[in-house]
Amino acid sequence: REIKHASSGGFAFDFSPPYFYDGMIFAGYEPYGRCAANLLFDGACEETLICVPKLTTWYDAIVALGVPDKNIMLIKSSSEGLEKHLAGECNALVYESQKLNRTLATMDDYFIGTEKHTKEPLSMMHRSDDQQFSDLIRWIVYGLFNAEERGIVSESSIEMPATNLFGSELTGIWQNSVRESGSYGEMFSRNLDGLVARDGLNMLNRLDGPQLCASPG
């Protein structure tokens, strides 16, 4: 996938393989976060007001879910939505699950939904005018997946294979990357344990579906 952005001076961008899948969830102060998650907007839920970034897939998703206009506060960005929410200007919001859990999970009388209404693949973005660098990022990501598949961790990184894909000076890219950051599973545990359940598309590809996997080769 390649995109161009006006502020980039016309440079195109490329993306690494997705390394994490998140999605839009509802959250908010009780009872309004629960009202939003259950798509209830009458009676005790009538005053639910959800901060939603305009011109986003999140806005498209809540419209498709049938959320009434009166229960939507359009804002410029997710960060602005979080600020307005914490200031009490809206009593519910939509956000990515790992960011919400990191920010708001310890608050009293606060509801965080678990159902994801969109699929948000997260990748590293980089300029596409250096194909070798793009390939290097891609194969490092694949290597982290492969390390977990093989049961290799940072302490046993020497067991990762060498490669000649990028010349004699970079034969140890997989050994070095796993030694410094661990396998994908180690990275997930270190950064997301307790915040996001590892399930669905964030599991390794075994026999049950096209999930995180290293490219054959």
Side-chain angles (χ1 to χ4, degrees), residues 52-68:
V52 184
K54 58 185 177 182
L55 302 177
T56 63
T57 56
W58 294 354
Y59 175 71
D60 294 341
I62 69 166
V63 169
L65 289 168
V67 178

Side-chain angles (χ1 to χ4, degrees), residues 102-121:
R102 192 183 301 276
T103 307
L104 302 171
T106 59
M107 293 179 61
D108 294 330
D109 297 322
Y110 197 85
F111 173 85
I112 296 178
T114 57
E115 183 177 357
K116 296 177 181 177
H117 296 277
T118 62
K119 183 171 70 175
E120 311 284 347

Side-chain angles (χ1 to χ4, degrees), residues 60-118:
D60 294 341
I62 69 166
V63 169
L65 289 168
V67 178
D69 289 343
K70 68 180 181 65
N71 300 104
I72 298 173
M73 174 186 285
L74 290 177
I75 40 87
K76 295 179 181 178
S77 65
S78 57
S79 57
E80 181 191 24
L82 183 58
E83 291 175 5
K84 288 184 177 295
H85 183 57
L86 293 173
E89 296 183 42
C90 55
N91 50 36
L93 80 166
V94 290
Y95 222 74
E96 291 177 353
S97 64
Q98 52 95 10
K99 291 181 179 178
L100 268 181
N101 286 330
R102 192 183 301 276
T103 307
L104 302 171
T106 59
M107 293 179 61
D108 294 330
D109 297 322
Y110 197 85
F111 173 85
I112 296 178
T114 57
E115 183 177 357
K116 296 177 181 177
H117 296 277
T118 62

Side-chain angles (χ1 to χ4, degrees), residues 175-191:
Q175 297 166 350
N176 294 336
S177 58
V178 173
R179 183 183 68 242
E180 295 301 319
S181 60
S183 68
Y184 179 82
E186 289 179 286
M187 295 173 67
F188 193 102
S189 296
R190 186 169 62 246
N191 292 286

